[in-house]
Amino acid sequence: MTDLDTLSVNTIRGLCMDAVQKANSGHPGTPMGMAPVAYTLWQRFLRFDPADPIWPNRDRFVLSEGHASTLLWSLLYLTGVRTVDPDYEVLGRPAVTLDDLKSFRQLDSRCPGHPEYRWTSGVETTTGPLGQGVATSVGMAIAGQWLAARFNRGDFTLFDFDVYALAGDGCMMEGVSSEAASLAGHLQLSNLCWIYDSNRVTIEGHTDITFTEDVAARFLAYGWNVTTVADANDLDQISRAFHTFRAETERPTLVLVHSHIGYGSPVEDSPKAHGAPFGPEGVRATKRVLGIPPDADFHIPDGVPDWFARGIGARGAELRSGWEKTFDAYRGAHPDLAEELERIQRRQLPDGWQDALPTFPADPKGLASRDSSGQVLNAVATAVPWVLGGSADLTPSTKTRLVFGGAGDFQPDDRSGSNLHLGVREHAAAAVANGMALTKLRPYWSGFLIFSDYAKAAIRLSALMEIPTVHIFTHDSIGVGEDGPTHQPVEQLAGLRATPGLLVFRPADANEVVETWRVVTALRREPAALVLSRQPLPTLDRDRLGAASGVARGAYVLADASPGEPEVILLATGSEVSLALAAHDELAAGGIASRVVSMPCWELFDRQPREYRDQVLPPAVTARVAVEEASTFGWDRYVGDGGAIVGMHTFGASAPLKQLLNKFGFTPERVSQVARELVAPG
Amino acid sequence: MTDLDTLSVNTIRGLCMDAVQKANSGHPGTPMGMAPVAYTLWQRFLRFDPADPIWPNRDRFVLSEGHASTLLWSLLYLTGVRTVDPDYEVLGRPAVTLDDLKSFRQLDSRCPGHPEYRWTSGVETTTGPLGQGVATSVGMAIAGQWLAARFNRGDFTLFDFDVYALAGDGCMMEGVSSEAASLAGHLQLSNLCWIYDSNRVTIEGHTDITFTEDVAARFLAYGWNVTTVADANDLDQISRAFHTFRAETERPTLVLVHSHIGYGSPVEDSPKAHGAPFGPEGVRATKRVLGIPPDADFHIPDGVPDWFARGIGARGAELRSGWEKTFDAYRGAHPDLAEELERIQRRQLPDGWQDALPTFPADPKGLASRDSSGQVLNAVATAVPWVLGGSADLTPSTKTRLVFGGAGDFQPDDRSGSNLHLGVREHAAAAVANGMALTKLRPYWSGFLIFSDYAKAAIRLSALMEIPTVHIFTHDSIGVGEDGPTHQPVEQLAGLRATPGLLVFRPADANEVVETWRVVTALRREPAALVLSRQPLPTLDRDRLGAASGVARGAYVLADASPGEPEVILLATGSEVSLALAAHDELAAGGIASRVVSMPCWELFDRQPREYRDQVLPPAVTARVAVEEASTFGWDRYVGDGGAIVGMHTFGASAPLKQLLNKFGFTPERVSQVARELVAPG
C-alpha cells in the first residue's frame, strides 16, 4: 500500500463525507467502510476506460448497495469519466463535476441520492432497492458469456469482460439475490464477482438481531467460489481476493469482506453511521483520524487525479485501444458479425427484420395469443439473433421457447444458446433480463401475469431506466379457469398501467400480436409488458374490420355499425374484444349502432394527438362500455361519466372458463344489456 | 407398513388421479409422489382433530405446493374434517364430500384448483403462488411460540403446536422462501418443519437444467436441522424423520424427501406428470400398478375411513379433549388470560380498547403521519396485547416499534416480545404477518411504500384470504425527497387500491391517523394498507374543519367556503390535504367557493350509500380537482369528465422536498390555478 493508495482511499472518503454533510442527507457509512475495496477494484483491476464508459468489453461495476452512491460519484469524478449522450455518443464533458458532487442530492445534480442509469454516465444500472443490483449483474454476466460465444472467433477475443457487484447485508437478505445467486451458480458464471460488504450493521442494529446465517456456506451451497477478506483496509488482501476471482474458471465468486461501517468516524460500527451525516464536528474528527485536512471540504490532494489517470486511466485506455485494433481486424475477417455488433451497440435492428413477420388469416376458432406470440417471437428472434430469453419455469405454458435452428439452451457447456432456463424465480428473471438489456441485447422473460407481482420491483426498474426489456405475461385473466383465484390476475393490469414509461399491450388476436411485436421490437428506450391469453382467441376478419396496424396508435376503431357516429362505444382489450364484437352484433340486431374500439395499449393511445383520440372516442358519444376481465380500476378515464365498466370487482374462482364468464358476467348478453341501458336508460 | 397403510396411501393416490381425470384439469404428479409422506404425517403425527379443525393448539399443515390440492382434499375427505362457519362455529357438516371431490375444480366445489382459506375448512392458508405457503408457515410458528410464552403457565401447557409445510422444488427456488428460511433459522423455530418434496422435476424439465444447488447445505447454512428421506415410499423412514424433527429443540427442521413425481404412472419422473391428467388409460394403468381396481373411480376401500378414524381421528380427539380439560382448569387459575385467549380465537377486541386512543391538538407544524401512527399503534397495542409486529429493517424510519412496558423483542431467548426484527426481507415479512394473522394474532409489518412492490404477492394473499393483516407503509410519495425515484412511490397506490378487498388508507393528519387505526384495529376479515408520510403534516384544526371521524366513511367534507354547494371540489389524500386547504383559501380570497374533501380510503367511500356519496361529491358540481403525489391512475372515477388531476405522470427525482413540490407542481398556486380554469375556462 503506497502513500498514494492511502491518500486516494481517504480522498474518496473525504468526498463522500463532505457530499453527505453538505446535502445534510445521505448514507456515509458504507462509503467509509468500503472505499479501500472500491478503490482497489477500480485502480488495480477494473478494465474500464473513463474516456469511453460504454466501450463494449469494459468490466461492469454495479453498486448494488446503491445508497452508497457517493462512493461511485467520487470514483466517476476522480477517474474523469466522460459523458455519454442518449444516442450513445461519448462527449468530452465529464460525467460528474466537483459542482455535481457539491450539489449531491439536489435537483438536477448528476449526483442524485442513488445511482441512476442514463442520468449519470458510468452508472451501469440503477440501484437502491436492495438486491436489484446483484440480480441485474447476473444478467450482465450472462450477456457477456453469450456475446463471447457469438462474437469471439479464433484469435479474436472481443468479449471477456467481468462483472463486479458490491452488495451489503441488505442485498444478501433480499430474496431476489438468493434467486439470482442460485441461477448464477448453476450457470457457472465465472465472469461474475459479488463483493459482500459484511459490516454486520443494518438500520435496526447489529445483524445479530435477525441475520445470523452463514452466508459463505450458503454461497458454497449455490456452487460459488467464496473467498474472504478479513480486513477491508488491507489492499493487498483485497487484491489477492480479486486475483482469486480472476483465476476461477468454473464458478462465480463471492468476496466476503469484513468491513466497518463509518470507518474512522465517531459512529464507526454503529447503525448511526448508515443513513445520516456525521455532523460538522463528526466530519472534522473523522478527517483528523484519516489524515485529511479537517477544514478542507471536498479536498483533492495534488497527485490523486493523476494517480488515477496512471492507474485505471492508462490501463483502460490501453485495453480499449487494443480492443479497437482487434475490432478493426475483425471487421475485415468477419464483416457480418462486426456489423451486427455495431448495430447491437447502437440498438439498431437488422435491415428488413420485419419481413419475416407473419400475418394470420381470419379464423373463428383462432388461437391463444400466447401461441401466436410464440410464433411471432420466433420470427422476430430469427431476424434479430440477439433477441433471447427464457421463462420462470413456464416455457411450455408461455410458449416462449425459441425453436428455430441454432436456438439451443444457454447452459454452462454451451454459451451460444438463446433459451434460458430461469427457474421458478420470477423476480430474478426480470432483473436478469434487465441486466441483459443493459448489455444491449434484446431480452425477454416470461411468466403468468399473476406472477408479475413477484417481479414488480424489477419491472419498475426497467421503466425507470428506460431500457427495452420485454416482459411476457400469459394466463392473463379469469381465462385461466380451473387454477382459480390464486392464479387469476385481477389488479395486475392496473398496477402495470400505472407504472410510468411501461408500455402494456393486451392484443385481441393473432394479428394484433404481430403488430404488438412490431412496435415492441423497435423500442429502444421503453420496456413493454405483453399480456396474453391462455385460451384461444378468434383471429378477426380484417377484411371486414379495422386493420391491426392500429395497435401502433394504442387504440383504434375495429367495427362500426354504420357510417357516422355510433350511439354507443364498446371498448375492450385482449380476449374481451371478440366479446365486444358479439355484443356489437347483438346491438345491431336490436337496431342500436355501436362501435367497437380495440384498445391494446393505453399508453400509446394517450400519446396520440387529441384529434385522433377524438376520432376514435368522439366526445359527443358519452354512452361507452368498457369490457375487460380485470379490475375496473382506471377505465373511468375512457368511459367517462356517462359510461359503464364490465369488469372484475372481486377475485375470481376455480372453474372452467365458460362457467366463470357466466358467473362474472362476461357474456355478449350482459355487455349488450349494459350498453342498451346507457343508450335508453331504464 | 401395514396393509392398511398401503391401502390408505393408494386410496389417496386413486382419489387424486380420479379427481384430476374427471376435471380434465389439475396436477396429479405431486400427490402421487408425496401421498405416503402426507399420509404418514397425518395418520401418525399430526395433532389435529378432524372434528374441530380450528382447535387452537392443533398442529398446522400447510400445502405450500398448492397445485397438489387433491392431496389435501383427499385427506380432508378421508379423515372427515368438519366445516367451520365464518364466525368460527364448528358445524357437523363435512368440509369436503365425495361429491366435492368429484367436482374438483368446478364452480362452487369445496375442492377448488388450489387450497383456499375460508372456502374449505381444514385449509390453514391459501397456497398456489409458490413459496407463499412455506413463508406463511414461519409466521404460524412464530405465533405458536408467542402464544406459548404468553399463555403457558406453570403446569398449564396450552400451546405447543408444530407447523408442517410441504414444499416442492418451485417453493425452494422462490426468493420469498429463502428470506423466510433465513429468518426461521435465526429465530430457532424448532416447532417448524418444512418437508421438501425433491422430485427434481419442474415444468420445463429436470431440475438439472437450472436448479443444481445443494439445498440441504443451504439450509444448514441458515441454521436449520436437515434430515433426509431417501425413499418417499418408506413410511418407517418418513416416521423417523418426523421423530427427528420432534426431538429437535433449537432449530427448524428440513425433511428432504427424494420422491418420484407421478409415482406408479406411465409418466413417472417426467414433467408430463406435473400438470395434466394421466388420461383414462394412464389412470387405469397406474391403478393396476398400485393394486387399485382399475375401473373403480373414486374408490374408497372398506376399512380405510375407519383406519383414519382410529389413527388421526382418535389421537386428535384425545388431544383436544385433554386440552379442553386443561383449559377449563386454566380458566379457574388464570381467568383473565383465559378470557383473552377466547377473545383472540373469536377475533374480538378487549372491552374499552378505544379508550386509550389519543387525540391530537391542532398544530400548524404538526408531525409526520409515520410518527403519529407510531404513537397510536403503541396505544392500540397496549390495549390489545396480541397486536405485535415488526419491520423489514426499517423500524427507526417507519416508527413502528412498540415501546410500552413489557414490549420487548421476540428472539430465541425470549418468545414473549412483541417486536420482531424481520430483516431486509419485505416479501417474507408480509407472508410472516399473514401466518400470524391466520393464527388469529393481530400482526402488522412495516416498510417503505416503494417496497410494497417486493411484498405484493403476499399482500394480495391477505386480501384473498380475508385476514386482517396490517401492512404499514411510510415514505409514501415524492415526499421522500433526496433518496430519489428509486425510493419514491408513484404507481404503488394504484396497484394496492385495485386489489379487491384491501383497504388502503392515506390519512391527512394525526387525527385521521387515529381514526384510521380505529377502523383498522376493528377489522376482522379485511387487511389494510396504511400509507404514511415521512415529512411532517400539519395537525388540522378540527374546530374549524370536518371531524376526522369521517375516515370511517372513506371520504368526508373537510372544508366549505360557504353554505350551499361549492363551485369546485378539491379532493386529496394524505399530505396533499393541507395543500388542498391552502388552495381552498387562495380560491376563497379570489372569490371562488371551493370544498375540500379528504379521501383517506377510497374503498370505504365506495361502500357508502349513494346519498352520502352525493352529499360529499354533489353530482351537479362537476368542477373537481384531485391532488395526490402519485400516479393519476384511477382518480378519473371521482373527478369525472369535468375534472382535473394534479398528480404524477413520471417518476420522481432526487432533491429536497420543496424543490420537488415545485418541480412537479404540488403548490397551492398550481392547484388553485387548475381549479380556477375549471370554474372559468380561460
Side-chain angles (χ1 to χ4, degrees), chain A residues 265-530:
Chain A
S265 78
V267 289
E268 181 176 327
D269 287 333
S270 152
K272 288 180 190 156
H274 172 76
F278 295 153
E281 271 318 305
V283 169
R284 271 194 290 274
T286 311
K287 286 182 176 173
R288 271 183 223 109
V289 168
L290 299 174
I292 304 172
D295 291 309
D297 288 348
F298 297 95
H299 181 58
I300 314 292
D302 289 345
V304 165
D306 183 58
W307 177 243
F308 277 105
R310 284 185 286 147
I312 182 173
R315 186 177 64 251
E318 189 185 331
L319 286 165
R320 176 168 65 98
S321 75
W323 188 90
E324 282 171 356
K325 273 192 208 106
T326 304
F327 188 65
D328 282 342
Y330 185 88
R331 195 182 280 115
H334 305 285
D336 292 352
L337 284 171
E339 199 214 328
E340 180 176 312
L341 182 55
E342 287 181 322
R343 281 182 191 262
I344 290 176
Q345 294 308 316
R346 293 192 303 265
R347 291 203 186 280
Q348 290 171 348
L349 298 170
D351 294 336
W353 69 272
Q354 300 187 43
D355 299 347
L357 292 177
T359 52
F360 291 83
D363 176 2
K365 194 164 152 261
L367 70 174
S369 51
R370 60 172 169 159
D371 285 309
S372 52
S373 178
Q375 292 180 37
V376 182
L377 167 62
N378 268 276
V380 168
T382 306
V384 188
W386 54 100
V387 167
L388 72 171
S391 167
D393 193 47
L394 288 169
T395 298
S397 296
T398 58
K399 314 281 181 167
T400 48
R401 188 165 176 87
L402 301 180
V403 293
F404 53 85
D409 283 356
F410 180 93
Q411 288 287 8
D413 58 357
D414 183 0
R415 303 302 195 181
S416 71
S418 300
N419 290 288
L420 290 159
H421 292 288
L422 298 165
V424 188
R425 308 176 180 110
E426 298 84 4
H427 201 170
V432 162
N434 287 345
M436 295 167 72
L438 288 161
T439 320
K440 297 195 184 150
L441 304 181
R442 290 304 316 276
Y444 64 86
W445 77 279
S446 71
F448 292 167
L449 180 57
I450 191 70
F451 300 134
S452 64
D453 278 356
Y454 278 69
K456 174 60 176 40
I459 298 168
R460 177 179 218 257
L461 277 182
S462 69
L464 180 53
M465 291 193 277
E466 300 176 16
I467 53 172
T469 309
V470 182
H471 310 277
I472 302 178
F473 300 120
T474 67
H475 295 61
D476 70 347
S477 70
I478 56 167
V480 166
E482 291 90 340
D483 274 340
T486 57
H487 283 57
Q488 291 163 352
V490 172
E491 72 278 22
Q492 282 63 30
L493 268 172
L496 295 173
R497 285 174 177 154
T499 305
L502 177 69
L503 299 181
V504 182
F505 293 86
R506 191 165 184 253
D509 76 342
N511 289 308
E512 280 199 11
V513 166
V514 175
E515 298 309 312
T516 294
W517 274 105
R518 196 187 304 277
V519 174
V520 165
T521 306
L523 295 172
R524 299 176 72 223
R525 291 186 198 149
E526 286 164 302
L530 272 61

Side-chain angles (χ1 to χ4, degrees), chain B residues 557-568:
Chain B
V557 177
L558 193 62
D560 261 329
S562 53
E565 290 200 346
E567 293 169 82
V568 58

Side-chain angles (χ1 to χ4, degrees), chain A residues 25 27 105-107 112-114 116 126-130 132 170 173-175 178-179 182-183 186 202-204 208-214 217-218 221-222 391 393-396 411 421-427 450-451 453-454 456-457 460 463-464 482-483 485-492 494-495 497-500 602 631-634 636-637 640-642 649-651 653-656 659-660 663, chain B residues 25 27 105-107 112-114 116 126-130 132 170 173-175 178-179 182-183 186 202-204 208-214 217-218 221-222 391 393-396 411 421-427 450-451 453-454 456-457 460 463-464 482-483 485-492 494-495 497-500 602 631-634 636-637 640-642 649-651 653-656 659-660 663:
Chain A
S25 168
H27 302 79
R105 291 181 159 239
Q106 308 307 301
L107 200 60
H114 291 82
E116 289 173 33
T126 296
T127 51
L130 295 177
Q132 295 293 335
M173 282 190 255
E174 290 286 3
S178 298
E179 293 177 10
S182 173
L183 179 63
H186 166 76
T202 65
I203 291 173
E204 290 190 6
D208 275 358
I209 62 173
T210 189
F211 187 51
T212 46
E213 62 173 70
D214 182 339
R218 172 155 66 95
Y222 292 138
S391 167
D393 193 47
L394 288 169
T395 298
Q411 288 287 8
H421 292 288
L422 298 165
V424 188
R425 308 176 180 110
E426 298 84 4
H427 201 170
I450 191 70
F451 300 134
D453 278 356
Y454 278 69
K456 174 60 176 40
R460 177 179 218 257
L464 180 53
E482 291 90 340
D483 274 340
T486 57
H487 283 57
Q488 291 163 352
V490 172
E491 72 278 22
Q492 282 63 30
R497 285 174 177 154
T499 305
W602 294 14
S631 166
T632 60
F633 201 89
D636 303 83
R637 182 184 308 175
D641 294 351
H649 297 275
T650 64
F651 293 107
S654 171
Q659 293 180 28
L660 294 176
K663 177 181 172 70
Chain B
S25 168
H27 301 80
R105 291 181 159 239
Q106 307 307 300
L107 200 61
H114 291 83
E116 289 174 34
T126 296
T127 51
L130 295 177
Q132 296 293 336
M173 280 189 257
E174 291 285 4
S178 298
E179 293 178 7
S182 173
L183 179 64
H186 166 76
T202 65
I203 290 172
E204 290 190 7
D208 276 357
I209 62 173
T210 188
F211 187 50
T212 46
E213 62 172 69
D214 182 340
R218 172 155 67 95
Y222 292 137
S391 167
D393 192 47
L394 288 170
T395 298
Q411 287 288 8
H421 291 289
L422 298 165
V424 188
R425 309 177 179 109
E426 298 83 5
H427 201 169
I450 192 69
F451 301 133
D453 278 357
Y454 279 68
K456 173 60 175 39
R460 177 178 218 256
L464 181 53
E482 291 90 340
D483 274 341
T486 57
H487 283 58
Q488 292 163 351
V490 172
E491 73 277 22
Q492 283 62 29
R497 285 174 177 152
T499 305
W602 294 14
S631 167
T632 60
F633 201 89
D636 303 84
R637 182 185 306 173
D641 295 350
H649 298 275
T650 63
F651 293 107
S654 170
Q659 293 179 28
L660 294 176
K663 178 180 171 70

Side-chain angles (χ1 to χ4, degrees), chain B residues 209-429:
Chain B
I209 62 173
T210 188
F211 187 50
T212 46
E213 62 172 69
D214 182 340
V215 175
R218 172 155 67 95
F219 275 73
L220 289 169
Y222 292 137
W224 286 51
N225 178 30
V226 177
T227 184
T228 299
V229 171
D231 177 0
N233 285 308
D234 183 337
L235 271 52
D236 291 336
Q237 252 194 69
I238 297 165
S239 291
R240 279 198 296 277
F242 290 129
H243 282 299
T244 299
F245 157 62
R246 284 211 177 160
E248 172 63 49
T249 58
E250 294 190 337
R251 297 173 294 178
T253 294
L254 180 75
V255 177
L256 194 162
V257 181
H258 293 287
S259 66
H260 295 273
I261 194 168
Y263 178 81
S265 78
V267 288
E268 182 175 325
D269 287 332
S270 152
K272 288 181 190 155
H274 172 77
F278 295 152
E281 271 318 306
V283 169
R284 271 194 290 274
T286 310
K287 286 180 176 174
R288 271 182 222 110
V289 169
L290 300 174
I292 304 171
D295 291 309
D297 288 347
F298 297 93
H299 182 58
I300 314 292
D302 290 346
V304 165
D306 182 57
W307 175 242
F308 277 105
R310 285 185 286 145
I312 182 173
R315 187 178 64 251
E318 190 185 328
L319 285 165
R320 175 168 66 98
S321 76
W323 189 90
E324 282 171 355
K325 274 193 207 103
T326 303
F327 188 66
D328 283 343
Y330 185 88
R331 194 183 281 114
H334 305 285
D336 292 352
L337 284 171
E339 200 214 328
E340 180 177 311
L341 183 54
E342 288 180 321
R343 282 181 190 261
I344 291 175
Q345 294 308 314
R346 293 192 305 264
R347 291 204 187 277
Q348 290 171 347
L349 298 170
D351 294 336
W353 69 271
Q354 300 188 42
D355 298 348
L357 292 178
T359 53
F360 290 82
D363 176 3
K365 193 165 154 260
L367 70 173
S369 51
R370 59 173 170 159
D371 284 309
S372 53
S373 179
Q375 292 181 37
V376 182
L377 167 62
N378 267 277
V380 168
T382 306
V384 188
W386 55 98
V387 167
L388 73 171
S391 167
D393 192 47
L394 288 170
T395 298
S397 295
T398 60
K399 314 282 181 166
T400 48
R401 188 165 176 87
L402 301 179
V403 292
F404 54 84
D409 281 358
F410 181 92
Q411 287 288 8
D413 58 358
D414 182 0
R415 303 302 196 181
S416 70
S418 301
N419 289 289
L420 290 158
H421 291 289
L422 298 165
V424 188
R425 309 177 179 109
E426 298 83 5
H427 201 169

Side-chain angles (χ1 to χ4, degrees), chain B residues 312-638:
Chain B
I312 182 173
R315 187 178 64 251
E318 190 185 328
L319 285 165
R320 175 168 66 98
S321 76
W323 189 90
E324 282 171 355
K325 274 193 207 103
T326 303
F327 188 66
D328 283 343
Y330 185 88
R331 194 183 281 114
H334 305 285
D336 292 352
L337 284 171
E339 200 214 328
E340 180 177 311
L341 183 54
E342 288 180 321
R343 282 181 190 261
I344 291 175
Q345 294 308 314
R346 293 192 305 264
R347 291 204 187 277
Q348 290 171 347
L349 298 170
D351 294 336
W353 69 271
Q354 300 188 42
D355 298 348
L357 292 178
T359 53
F360 290 82
D363 176 3
K365 193 165 154 260
L367 70 173
S369 51
R370 59 173 170 159
D371 284 309
S372 53
S373 179
Q375 292 181 37
V376 182
L377 167 62
N378 267 277
V380 168
T382 306
V384 188
W386 55 98
V387 167
L388 73 171
S391 167
D393 192 47
L394 288 170
T395 298
S397 295
T398 60
K399 314 282 181 166
T400 48
R401 188 165 176 87
L402 301 179
V403 292
F404 54 84
D409 281 358
F410 181 92
Q411 287 288 8
D413 58 358
D414 182 0
R415 303 302 196 181
S416 70
S418 301
N419 289 289
L420 290 158
H421 291 289
L422 298 165
V424 188
R425 309 177 179 109
E426 298 83 5
H427 201 169
V432 162
N434 287 345
M436 295 167 71
L438 288 160
T439 320
K440 295 193 183 154
L441 303 181
R442 288 306 314 278
Y444 63 87
W445 77 280
S446 72
F448 292 167
L449 179 57
I450 192 69
F451 301 133
S452 64
D453 278 357
Y454 279 68
K456 173 60 175 39
I459 297 168
R460 177 178 218 256
L461 278 181
S462 69
L464 181 53
M465 290 193 277
E466 300 175 17
I467 53 172
T469 308
V470 181
H471 310 276
I472 302 178
F473 299 120
T474 67
H475 295 61
D476 70 347
S477 70
I478 55 167
V480 167
E482 291 90 340
D483 274 341
T486 57
H487 283 58
Q488 292 163 351
V490 172
E491 73 277 22
Q492 283 62 29
L493 268 172
L496 295 172
R497 285 174 177 152
T499 305
L502 177 68
L503 299 182
V504 182
F505 293 86
R506 191 165 184 254
D509 76 341
N511 288 306
E512 280 200 9
V513 167
V514 174
E515 298 309 312
T516 295
W517 274 106
R518 196 188 304 278
V519 174
V520 166
T521 307
L523 295 172
R524 299 176 73 223
R525 289 186 200 149
E526 287 164 301
L530 273 60
V531 176
L532 305 169
S533 75
R534 170 179 188 256
Q535 72 275 26
L537 308 180
T539 305
L540 304 177
D541 180 355
R542 298 290 171 172
D543 292 337
R544 212 169 54 81
L545 301 166
S549 57
V551 170
R553 309 196 80 168
Y556 64 101
V557 177
L558 193 62
D560 261 329
S562 53
E565 290 200 346
E567 293 169 82
V568 58
I569 303 175
L570 309 177
L571 302 89
T573 75
S575 47
E576 288 68 74
V577 170
S578 292
L579 170 59
L581 286 169
H584 164 80
D585 288 344
E586 274 202 19
L587 289 166
I592 294 176
S594 71
R595 163 178 293 184
V596 176
V597 171
S598 179
M599 207 161 177
C601 183
W602 294 14
E603 299 79 17
L604 289 178
F605 183 63
D606 289 348
R607 291 181 199 173
Q608 301 307 311
R610 169 156 293 284
E611 189 189 348
Y612 178 78
R613 284 182 286 134
D614 286 351
Q615 207 174 300
V616 174
L617 300 177
V621 186
T622 59
R624 300 177 183 183
V625 183
V627 196
E628 192 170 54
E629 289 172 15
S631 167
T632 60
F633 201 89
W635 271 108
D636 303 84
R637 182 185 306 173
Y638 303 110

